[in-house]
Amino acid sequence: MWLFWLFRRRCIKVNTMHDMVLEVVNRLLLPFIQLFGMYILFHGHLSPGGGFSGGAVIGASLILYSLTFRFARIKHRIDHDTSVFFEAAGALIYVAVGFVGLFFGYNFLTNRGVFPLGVPGQLWSSGMILIITLALGAKVSGTILSLFQELLEGGSDERGNP
Amino acid sequence: MSVEILERLYGNIYYLTSVILFVIGFHTMLTHRNLIKKLMALNIMDTAIFLFFVAIGYREGGQAPILLPGVERFVNPVPSALILTGIVISVSFTAFALALVVLLHKHYGTIDSDEIIAIRGKKYV
Amino acid sequence: MFSLSHAPILMVVTLLTAGFIVPLVRKHLLVAKALFLGAGLLVTILSFLVAGNVLENGTMVYNVGGWAAPHGIVLVVDAFAAYVSLVISVISLVIFWFAVFAPREVKYEAGYYALILLLTAAMHGIVMAGDIFNLFVFVEISSLAAVAIIAVKGTKESVEASFRYLILSALGSGGLLFSIALLFMVTGHLNMDFMRQTLAVTAGQYPLNVLTALAFMVVGLGVKSALFPLHIWLPDAHANAPTASSALLSGLVVKVYIVAFIRIAYMTLGMELFYLLPIRQILLVMASLAIVAGSVFAIVQDNIKRLLAFSTVVQVGYIFLGFSLLSARAVEGAVWHILIHAIMKTLLFLAVGVVIHQSGYKKISQLHGLGRRMPLTFACITLGALSMVGIPGTAGFISKLYLALGALDAGQAIFAGLILLSSLLSAVYYFPLIITAYFGHDASPTVSEPSIAVQLPLVVLSLAVLFYGLMPSVLLPLVRQTAALIMR
C-alpha cells in the first residue's frame, strides 16, 4: 500500500514530463499500428482500404507518438515543417504521376499504356494506382498530423484545407 | 394494412434511419447554443447523408467488388467510393471549424453562441 | 506533346499545384509571390485559348485518365464553362495582382496566397466539372477556402463571421449532397449528360425523389450563393474580410454557386421540370425580394463595406431574376451580369479597401472631402457606382437593359418596373458615398494616393467598365451561345 502511494506520488510529480506506462505501451504498440497502416496502403488496389484509410491509421499513430513523447524528447518530435512537407509532397507526386501520362501522349492520369500493369491480384500490379495510393497515404498522414499540430499550437494558423 | 406499412418501413430501414438521424442533427443544431454541440450536430447530419448514400448501393449479402473465386453478389462500389471522399471533406470541415472555435474562445472568452452575439452586438441588418 | 485539348485540366492542375508549392517556399516570399502571379497569368492565357477554341470548334470534352463518360471522370467545357472560367481567370488575375502589391493585411502571406489559389482552382473545377460528384467536391473545396480567406484576417469580427459562414455553408453542402444522393438513386449515373438522358425516362416514375432533390438543392446552393432569405451570413462575412478576399468572394465565389445551380437544375434536370413545378415562381419571388429588401438594407448602412455587401445581395437577385424569367434576352442579361457585376464589384471593393487603408475611415460619414485627396481612386469609385446604378455608357447599363427587355419579352412587365425601381434605390445608396467624398469640408490633409502598382488594378477595371459600356459586342457570341445552351 505504501509502495503504491509512493509510486502514485511520483507519477503525479512527473506527470507533465512523461508517463512511463504510456511510453512503454506505446513503444510496443506503435510499430504494429504503423505496420498495419502500411499493409492497408500497399494492398489498396487488392482489398478494401487504400490511401485514405492507411494514411489515417499512420497519421493517428504519429499523433499518438507526438502525444506520448512530445515532452520527453523534443529532438525526436516530428515538427510542423515535416508534416507540411509530407502533405505537399504527396499532392505533388500525385500531380507528377498525372503528368507522366501527358508526356507519353495520353490524357492526364492515364494508366493503361503508360505504366506496367502487372498481373491482377499480385502486390506489384495495377500500374500507377499503387504509386498514387502511397502518395495519398503520405498526404493524408501529413495532413492529419499537421491539423493536430495546428490545433495544439492554438489555432494560430487557420489552414484547414483538405 | 398496418402489416403492409411495417413491411415497407422495414424494407427502407436504412433510409428511414438516415432521415431520423438527419432530423436529430438538424434539431440539435438549431436548438443548442454551444458551438461544439453545433459541430457535433453537423457531423450527425453528415453521417446521416453518408448512410443514405451508401444504402443506395447496398445489396443484401453483397461483398466487396473484387474479383475472387466464389463471390457472386457485389455491392455497388460507386457510392462507397464517393462517401469516402465525403468523409474526408467532413473531417476537414470539422477540423477547420474546431480551429475557428479555438480562435473564437480566444477572442470572446466563451463558446456559447448567444453570449458571443451579446458581446459583439446584434447586427443582422 | 502539348495540345490545346489538355488545357482544361491544366488550368485546374496548375492552380492546385501552385497552391501546394507556395506554402513550401514561404520563407522566400518573393518566389512565392512570383509563383502566385505566374500561375494566375498562365491560367488566364489558357482560358483565353480555351474560349477561342470553344467558339470555333464547339464543346470540348476531356476524359481524365482516358476513360470515357459514363465510367470515367470528364471535364466538359461548353460555351457556358468557357465564358465563366474566362471571367474567373481574368478577374482573379487582377485580384492576385492587388493581393501581391497592396499593403499587407494578413499575418501569413504565403498561406493566404495558397488559399486564394485553391479557391480559384476549385472555382474553375466547379465550372468545368462534367459529373455531379466532382462538382460537389469542388464546391466543398471552394467553401472551405472561402471561409479560410475571411478568417485569416484574425480580428474578432472576421472570425465570428467566418464561423457563421462555415456552419451555414456546411448545411448547404449537406443539402447538396442529399440532392445528389436522391438523383443518383433515380438515375444510377453521376455524369450530368447521362443523368439528363436517364431522367427524361425515369423522372416520371419517381417524381417525389426529383422534387425532394430539387428542394434540397435550391436550399443548399441558395445558402451558398446568398439568395435573399438565406443571405444572412453574407454582409458580415464580406465586410470583415481582407480587401482582396472581399473582392474575390463578392465578385466571383457567390456567382460560381449560381453557375453550379444552373448546371444542375437547368442543364441536368431539364427545362420540362420547370413547367411542371412552381420552382420558377419561387425563384422569381425570392429574387424580387432580394432586390427590394437588399436595397432597403443597403440604404441604412453607414459602413462602406457592408453597403457593398448588401449590394451584392441585390445583384445576386438580379442574376436569379434573369435566369428564372426564362426568356432569351433575360437569360442573356443574367449571363452578362455575371461578368459585369464581377468587374464592378471587384473594382468597388478594391478601391474602397484602398481608401480604408490610406485614410483609416470605414464609414461614409467620415469621408468628407477625401475625393480631392485621392482623385484617381475616387474617380474609379464614382465610375463603379455609376455603373452599379446603370447609367448609360457604363457596363451596368447593358445587363440591366437586357434584363428589362427580357422581362418584357416574358410578358411580365412588372419585373421591368422592379429593375427600374431598384436602379433608383441603388442611386439612393451609392450617391451619398460620392457626394460626401467630393463635397464637404476638407478635413484630412495627411491622406494621399497609394503607389501606382496598387492603382493599376483599379484603372484596369475602370477601363473595363467603360469598355463594356461602350462596346458590348466583344463577348456577345459567347454570351449568345451560353444563353442558347441554357435555354436548350
Side-chain angles (χ1 to χ4, degrees), chain B residues 31-51:
Chain B
T31 52
H32 281 255
R33 301 185 304 177
N34 189 318
L35 294 182
I36 302 278
K37 282 186 186 164
K38 273 187 198 288
L39 285 182
M40 286 162 127
L42 198 68
N43 272 308
I44 292 174
M45 276 171 67
D46 274 349
T47 313
I49 299 166
F50 298 157
L51 176 64

Side-chain angles (χ1 to χ4, degrees), chain C residues 395-443:
Chain C
F397 175 68
I398 303 294
S399 54
K400 281 193 183 174
L401 180 70
Y402 268 92
L403 284 173
L405 288 177
L408 293 180
D409 285 351
Q412 291 177 307
I414 184 166
F415 290 107
L418 185 73
I419 290 165
L420 212 61
L421 173 76
S422 146
S423 292
L424 214 63
L425 287 174
S426 60
V428 172
Y429 59 78
Y430 272 117
F431 283 169
L433 177 66
I434 305 168
I435 293 169
T436 336
Y438 281 114
F439 304 102
H441 50 279
D442 195 343

Side-chain angles (χ1 to χ4, degrees), chain A residues 22 26 30 33-34 55-71 77-78 83 140-152, chain B residues 91 95:
Chain A
L22 263 182
N26 274 332
L30 273 175
I33 297 176
Q34 290 188 340
V57 170
I58 293 177
S61 80
L62 293 177
I63 289 180
L64 196 60
Y65 178 83
S66 36
L67 268 181
T68 317
F69 298 108
R70 199 167 79 91
F71 306 107
R77 196 180 138 204
I78 312 155
S83 60
V140 170
S141 53
T143 309
I144 286 182
L145 188 59
S146 76
L147 281 179
F148 166 74
Q149 286 164 340
E150 261 157 36
L151 284 177
L152 205 67
Chain B
V91 165

Side-chain angles (χ1 to χ4, degrees), chain B residues 52-78:
Chain B
F52 188 88
F53 218 133
V54 171
I56 296 171
Y58 179 68
R59 288 176 70 191
E60 198 80 36
Q63 304 236 338
I66 297 163
L67 281 176
L68 293 173
V71 183
E72 273 143 25
R73 282 178 78 89
F74 299 123
V75 296
N76 187 353
V78 176

Side-chain angles (χ1 to χ4, degrees), chain A residues 80-81 84-89 91-92 95 99 102-112 128 139 156-162, chain C residues 1 5-6 9-10 13 17 19-21 23-24 26-27 62-67 107-108 111 114-115 118 141 144 148 151-152 154:
Chain A
H80 201 151
D81 282 352
V84 171
F85 173 77
F86 270 105
E87 205 183 330
L92 291 181
V95 173
F99 271 106
L102 218 59
F103 273 110
F104 281 94
Y106 295 92
N107 275 359
F108 192 78
L109 273 178
T110 301
N111 195 1
R112 187 183 296 165
M128 70 171 185
K139 170 149 181 62
S156 55
D157 183 355
E158 301 86 11
R159 285 191 55 238
N161 46 63
Chain C
M1 155 225 150
S5 65
H6 295 303
I9 188 95
L10 282 180
V13 167
T17 317
F20 283 118
I21 295 177
L24 282 187
R26 65 185 178 284
K27 302 261 160 62
Y62 189 81
N63 302 326
V64 179
W67 296 95
K107 234 167 157 187
Y108 306 94
L115 287 171
L118 271 185
I141 297 176
L144 266 180
V152 284

Side-chain angles (χ1 to χ4, degrees), chain C residues 370-382 438 448-449 455:
Chain C
L370 268 185
R372 271 167 276 165
R373 295 279 159 206
M374 307 173 70
L376 188 62
T377 310
F378 270 95
C380 294
I381 292 183
T382 309
Y438 281 114
S448 63
E449 286 276 10
Q455 285 178 332

